[in-house]
Amino acid sequence: MTALALVAALAVAAVAAVGAPVAAQSGDAPVELETDAVESVQNATVSGTSTLDAGTEIQVRLSSTGETSPQFLKTRTTTVGSDGDWNATVDLSAIEEHDSVGVSVVVASGDDDRGADFEIPIENDRTTPAETGDSPVSAPGFGSVVAIVALVGSAALVRTRR
């Protein structure tokens, strides 16, 4: 029964992780991403902060990941502000199918390879879950409750066959 509880706990953790945005950030990275999601709009803005000197040029590269359609790669060069902030605006209006965007931020100088990589979701309907009362976490097929009930039922079936 302990093994069943462990399996159920792992299943719940996996389902919860599906809805969490991914940002591969390091505590000592020279740049951090503040944008938690972008929309498929003409002036989508990605922003963040940096420990680099003010005036340092950085390249912000946005690329399609997963099943995002159409596939794309957009590069913008921007400058770190006096307060350490930076931002880049790109046209993402052609994106039809939504998944996520890879964001790579690197120092624009050819001899400096400092930077960081991130991944953020494309969200065009942030208000929809709140309006309908649906859970913001969705998974294709069965929901988490059905999966847990199926695990418990399978364990009970195995136990009765012994």
Side-chain angles (χ1 to χ4, degrees):
M1 201 60 155
T2 304
L4 178 62
L6 179 61
V7 169
L10 289 174
V12 169
V15 170
V18 169
V22 177
Q25 300 185 37
S26 169
D28 57 348
V31 291
E32 296 293 331
L33 188 66
E34 291 183 345
T35 302
D36 62 351
V38 292
E39 294 184 42
S40 296
V41 295
Q42 187 171 10
N43 294 316
T45 300
V46 176
S47 61
T49 60
S50 176
T51 58
L52 299 168
D53 293 333
T56 302
E57 283 192 338
I58 57 175
Q59 281 189 347
V60 180
R61 298 180 193 128
L62 279 77
S63 60
S64 52
T65 61
E67 296 179 14
T68 301
S69 176
Q71 298 291 301
F72 65 90
L73 172 63
K74 309 264 183 178
T75 301
R76 297 292 182 266
T77 300
T78 188
T79 305
V80 176
S82 60
D83 55 358
D85 289 345
W86 58 268
N87 66 55
T89 302
V90 295
D91 181 0
L92 298 178
S93 61
I95 298 173
E96 298 170 2
E97 295 180 25
H98 313 296
D99 194 1
S100 59
V101 173
V103 180
S104 178
V105 183
V106 295
V107 176
S109 171
D111 59 342
D112 193 340
D113 63 352
R114 293 179 292 170
D117 295 316
F118 311 92
E119 188 171 321
I120 54 176
I122 298 173
E123 295 181 353
N124 287 338
D125 52 355
R126 290 174 156 225
T127 58
T128 301
E131 291 174 2
T132 62
D134 292 341
S135 169
V137 176
S138 64
F142 299 111
S144 58
V145 173
V146 173
I148 292 171
V149 169
L151 284 172
V152 170
S154 298
L157 182 62
V158 168
R159 225 181 158 147
T160 58
R161 290 192 176 212
R162 286 185 185 177

